[in-house]
Amino acid sequence: MTDSAALDDTGAGSRLPSHFGWIYAALMVSMLLSALDQTIVATALPTIVGELNGLSHMAWVTTAYILAATIGMPVYGKLGDLIGRRQLFLAALVVFVAGSALAGFAQDMPQLIAYRALQGLGGGGLMIMSQAIIADLVPVRQRAKFMGPLGAVFGLAAVGGPLLGGWITDHTDWRWAFWINLPLGAAALIISATALKLPRKHVKVAFDYLGTALMAVAVTALILLCTWGGTEYEWTSPQILWLGAATVAAAVLFCVVESRVAEPLIPLRMLRNPVFSVATLIGMIAIGVGMFAVISYMPTYLQMVYGYSATESGLLLIPMVAGIMLTASTSGVLVSKFGRYKGFVIAGMAIMPVGVGLLSTLDPSSPVALLCVYIGLIGAGIGLIMQTLVLAVQNAFPQSEVGTATSSNNFFREIGATLGVAVVGAIFTNRLTDALAGIGTDFGGAGAESITPAIVRGLPEAVHDQITTAYADALLPVFAGLVPVVLVGTVLALFLPNRKLGDYTADEPEKEPVSAAAGHIALSPAAGTLVGLRGRNPAAPPLRVSVVRESDRSARSDRGPSVVAGEDHAVDVGRVVAEQPCDGRR
């Protein structure tokens, strides 16, 4: 790889590959496309199901994509660590573009659902690979300023997807909601194929097929439970109960398998790493509950209470996008400058409950400008933590496990989003149903389940006011109930370890001075260097060593497995110690 060296404002040397700007643009486009297709069909669905005669299968158009993407995330992450990421990234781009082209040509709902699943298999890989490849190319210390815009793009896509889908459906044809991916995806593919150079690992892969199958069963059952519960079936129906039992059983068996296989899909020891566990829980709460609950139900509130159109309600979420983009980009630069991330996570988690709590104080007479300020505040909090947490997780593991750590973090975040939206939706729906039943009118000839914004706008003023009040009373108190949940994330942020970011890349391992006394090897300042090379020389005999941080001998190093300060562990030593016996010599 041809590198160009530069000196940044921290004084640390940064090494970026040639044509990095083009590569980074391709990664940004890939992240945009994968996130965009989670939501772009939302406003196009009424037209799609009408043309393809598939009202009863409508939910599957979105569910198929999310399900396939969620299952694919840990698979891409693990395989990327085992065999290299370049070929996997190119394959994910090809799969995504092919799925997009086929979805645009779908002639019936089964075809569309199948092609959306194919899209999702590619989209999950794009989301994970774009973040992991940044870790391969950019030193940890400088990575934050590149990860921040990736998070901003994700937020832009999540909010802008329905808006773009509605505009395309109104002005062209719904099929262009899929075909719009073709020129952008092809450009990203060409740039990546020509400019992206990453080492390819020639190793015999022992892939975790059983664990993957069990994970797929658990995720499928969970997403179906969250999708069908309270809509297709009652929460206490046999179908939902069986799905719940299948989720638990598959998850338990998955944990058993992961604890026994040589190369687990999601290593359970990662859960013992305090950076990973705390960051993942914060992400599930902040992104899953905070961000997606607002994005999912605020447009409905704006349409039903304020009378805005679908397009207008999407535009009114722009303050959230602006908040995410501003703080994500700014915090990325500052994290790179100072080399620490914890303060930004705490700040973000302090802002979010304030914004969510302020939403709960609104009423139908509140000016919409005030609502925009509140969701902009929530966006600012999300921007501070979204990619900062991913960076913290990547920094907590050796380069050989960055893909697995990144994908596992995103996997649990996606699960949190699914659960958060389902729980908020169930509470909101139940409260709204009860409120509308208490009004006791036929709503202009439509039943309670058939009310649309257009119908509400045409009702007599008295009935109109009752319905808007019902919507406000059903949704806004739910936000008040979310405040304690988000505050749990705020408390967790206080316990997030504040590891210093390093200045090394994938092809330039962290260089640490090694000092040795009899029976003791000390790595300064990060003990994870030794573990990062674990297994690279399988012929080397395990040595009994004690690995500690020279800067804090009482602290635990969780940069890798089986490393505890002051305790002896068998470690497969790679090139740093180079199979030397532990007798006081290096």
Side-chain angles (χ1 to χ4, degrees):
M1 181 184 297
T2 303
D3 295 306
S4 58
L7 193 66
D8 57 49
D9 57 5
T10 67
S14 63
R15 294 166 56 84
L16 300 179
S18 59
H19 310 300
F20 177 76
W22 287 102
I23 297 171
Y24 186 58
L27 297 178
M28 292 273 283
V29 169
S30 300
M31 173 66 86
L32 173 67
L33 294 179
S34 62
L36 195 66
D37 270 70
Q38 291 190 62
T39 59
I40 195 171
V41 299
T43 45
L45 273 178
T47 303
I48 293 174
V49 299
E51 185 172 322
L52 299 182
N53 299 313
L55 182 61
S56 61
H57 300 98
M58 181 171 65
W60 276 101
V61 177
T62 301
T63 301
Y65 184 92
I66 295 175
L67 179 60
T70 304
I71 292 173
M73 283 179 180
V75 176
Y76 279 103
K78 187 64 179 182
L79 284 176
D81 285 340
L82 293 176
I83 66 175
R85 280 180 261 278
R86 182 179 183 274
Q87 298 301 323
L88 280 175
F89 179 62
L90 296 178
L93 271 169
V94 170
V95 170
F96 181 82
V97 171
S100 299
L102 291 170
F105 285 111
Q107 299 301 308
D108 54 44
M109 288 297 286
Q111 284 185 15
L112 180 59
I113 291 168
Y115 298 148
R116 283 284 287 168
L118 185 64
Q119 257 194 315
L121 285 175
L126 297 182
M127 193 172 296
I128 297 304
M129 291 292 104
S130 58
Q131 298 175 81
I133 288 173
I134 289 290
D136 286 335
L137 300 177
V138 183
V140 182
R141 178 71 176 266
Q142 302 310 308
R143 199 177 300 161
K145 59 188 176 187
F146 297 103
M147 295 287 281
L150 277 180
V153 163
F154 182 86
L156 172 64
V159 176
L163 179 62
L164 180 60
W167 185 89
I168 289 174
T169 303
D170 291 341
H171 293 85
T172 56
D173 187 293
W174 63 264
R175 298 178 186 275
W176 281 101
F178 304 112
W179 289 339
I180 194 176
N181 297 326
L182 303 187
L184 295 174
L189 180 61
I190 292 171
I191 293 171
S192 301
T194 56
L196 181 60
K197 308 297 181 184
L198 292 173
R200 185 173 182 178
K201 304 175 183 179
H202 300 279
V203 296
K204 184 179 291 185
V205 177
F207 188 69
D208 182 15
Y209 293 102
L210 180 56
T212 300
L214 289 169
M215 180 271 294
V217 171
V219 171
T220 301
L222 177 63
I223 290 181
L224 291 179
L225 184 153
C226 294
T227 302
W228 288 346
T231 55
E232 297 286 334
Y233 305 100
E234 295 293 331
W235 285 102
T236 56
S237 66
Q239 292 89 343
I240 297 301
L241 294 178
W242 275 111
L243 284 173
T247 301
V248 173
V252 171
L253 290 174
F254 173 76
C255 292
V256 172
V257 170
E258 296 305 276
S259 65
R260 298 173 181 267
V261 296
E263 291 288 351
L265 186 69
I266 302 177
L268 299 182
R269 59 178 170 72
M270 284 188 172
L271 302 177
R272 297 194 294 270
N273 184 307
V275 176
F276 180 87
S277 57
V278 173
T280 299
L281 285 172
I282 294 173
M284 292 177 70
I285 292 171
I287 309 302
V289 177
M291 176 178 173
F292 282 100
V294 174
I295 290 175
S296 297
Y297 297 103
M298 191 50 65
T300 299
Y301 180 83
L302 288 167
Q303 292 177 56
M304 301 301 287
V305 175
Y306 289 94
Y308 290 108
S309 67
T311 301
E312 290 169 339
S313 66
L315 287 171
L316 287 170
L317 292 181
I318 287 178
M320 174 178 276
V321 178
I324 293 174
M325 296 182 71
L326 176 64
T327 57
S329 300
T330 304
S331 63
V333 173
L334 293 176
V335 169
S336 290
K337 180 178 179 64
F338 297 113
R340 301 284 184 177
Y341 50 79
K342 183 175 180 177
F344 299 94
V345 178
I346 293 175
M349 289 309 303
I351 292 172
M352 279 199 65
V354 174
V356 175
L358 288 173
L359 279 181
S360 68
T361 65
L362 296 172
D363 59 56
S365 63
S366 300
V368 72
L370 191 61
L371 184 149
C372 290
V373 170
Y374 294 165
I375 61 175
L377 193 62
I378 295 173
I382 292 170
L384 285 169
I385 66 173
M386 181 180 290
Q387 292 302 102
T388 307
L389 292 175
V390 176
L391 180 69
V393 168
Q394 290 181 347
N395 187 61
F397 291 93
Q399 191 66 37
S400 59
E401 295 182 316
V402 160
T404 302
T406 302
S407 63
S408 299
N409 178 263
N410 279 266
F411 171 79
F412 287 114
R413 183 182 293 186
E414 198 75 18
I415 295 297
T418 301
L419 291 174
V421 171
V423 171
V424 171
I427 297 173
F428 171 51
T429 301
N430 289 334
R431 291 174 59 89
L432 181 62
T433 301
D434 292 341
L436 292 178
I439 295 176
T441 179
D442 62 358
F443 307 113
E449 295 187 2
S450 304
I451 299 176
T452 65
I455 291 175
V456 173
R457 286 193 293 268
L459 291 174
E461 184 176 354
V463 179
H464 174 276
D465 291 344
Q466 286 181 301
I467 292 176
T468 56
T469 300
Y471 268 85
D473 291 345
L475 181 61
L476 297 179
V478 176
F479 290 134
L482 289 179
V483 172
V485 178
V486 180
L487 283 173
V488 171
T490 307
V491 174
L492 286 172
L494 300 175
F495 294 93
L496 179 67
N498 196 21
R499 303 280 173 80
K500 184 175 178 62
L501 302 180
D503 293 294
Y504 55 92
T505 58
D507 58 346
E508 181 189 17
E510 188 177 9
K511 298 178 180 63
E512 302 292 352
V514 179
S515 62
H520 177 86
I521 296 176
L523 300 180
S524 172
T529 306
L530 189 64
V531 180
L533 298 167
R534 186 175 73 92
R536 292 186 182 179
N537 188 354
L543 304 180
R544 304 294 291 185
V545 299
S546 177
V547 183
V548 300
R549 292 175 181 274
E550 208 166 64
S551 59
D552 183 3
R553 297 181 183 272
S554 65
R556 173 171 179 155
S557 170
D558 285 283
R559 293 282 302 275
S562 302
V563 180
V564 183
E567 297 182 14
D568 288 339
H569 291 272
V571 179
D572 292 335
V573 179
R575 66 187 179 198
V576 170
V577 186
E579 303 181 37
Q580 295 289 339
C582 191
D583 59 356
R585 299 190 302 269
R586 178 172 177 176

